[in-house]
Amino acid sequence: MSTMWDQFRVKEGDKVDLKKWDTSYKGDLTKEEVYDHLLPANGEAFREAQEVMYADNQHGLIIVIQAMDAAGKDGLIKKVLTYINPQGLKVIPFDEPTADEQDHDYLWRCNQALPRRGEVAVFNRSHYEDVLVTRVHNLLEGSQLPEDLVDKKIWSRRYKQIRNWEEYLEENGFHILKFFLHVSKDEQAERLLERVVQPNKNWKFSSSDIRERKYWKEYQKIYEELMEETSTDGAPWFIIPADRKWYTRYVVSEILKEFFQKLDMTYPKLAKEEEALLAGAKESLMDDLGLTEDDLDKYRE
């Protein structure tokens, strides 16, 4: 039986043609089923799993979210990822690099944002902007990168660097899941129009969103290439239909649940000395409260 993980994953070595990947959902599942039952159940499942990961203190998770404007990145974070305990979650938006960030290599700011073991870090945009926006708008010309390094092979070198960096993280216990929210150009236009005509959404509108639509084909082509070059077994890309936000959120929640199941973690076993301390503490507290073993059931719930 095919799982969401298998259905939406770009397998290592696959060719990617985004025209062949659905942007919408036409099945029998309903929005009400997702929000009333499926999403809360999945959220609870990976919330509990992340708490085990936090206690285990061996693994970390980086969730990369990339998309065209208005594809639903912020809503996905708000509706799905906030099920995770805030103490174990951090969200990092990667906007235009600051002067300080430009004084370093392009992966430097991502290294600063990596999670600790037991934590989940969400990259709202990511290091992939440096093979995407940078390329579409030719931002390396006149940059601080030495001129002799800005040649025809710069992008293939960066793909290799990203693969190596992500492999290094995976081999150190930090897993990476990468989601491309695949929205259609017409659906994006409708969402941008809502931002223009609805006063309570005006604050979301940016004139750059309209300018970037002119480069739609270029962005789609580069997304195809970067996923072909950097989707690996250890750091896979998932292409998620994004024309129906509720379905996008459900699919991502399913993939997250599957990921935590694959880790197969348990709470760490206490050392014998700590078990003895625990037994002593239990006996002392029971004496203080005048309890017997039969009274302890309610504390185990």
Side-chain angles (χ1 to χ4, degrees), residues 64-122:
V64 169
I65 304 175
Q66 289 283 159
M68 299 296 288
D69 296 312
K73 297 185 302 298
D74 293 339
L76 173 65
I77 293 168
K78 181 179 179 182
K79 297 292 187 179
V80 177
L81 297 170
T82 49
Y83 277 101
I84 295 173
N85 188 326
Q87 288 185 313
L89 175 72
K90 61 178 182 177
V91 179
I92 306 95
F94 286 96
D95 299 317
E96 184 178 343
T98 65
D100 185 39
E101 288 168 346
Q102 289 175 338
D103 279 338
H104 295 83
D105 65 275
Y106 71 96
L107 288 174
W108 178 82
R109 63 176 182 167
C110 295
N111 278 307
Q112 310 307 303
L114 290 174
R116 297 178 179 178
R117 297 189 190 279
E119 291 183 342
V120 176
V122 180

Side-chain angles (χ1 to χ4, degrees), residues 74-75 78 191-209 245:
D74 293 339
K78 181 179 179 182
R191 293 180 187 180
L192 293 176
L193 187 58
E194 285 181 356
R195 294 179 180 184
V196 171
V197 301
Q198 294 184 20
N200 64 332
K201 291 187 177 182
N202 288 167
W203 64 274
K204 291 184 177 182
F205 178 75
S206 171
S207 57
S208 66
D209 296 341
K245 294 179 182 179

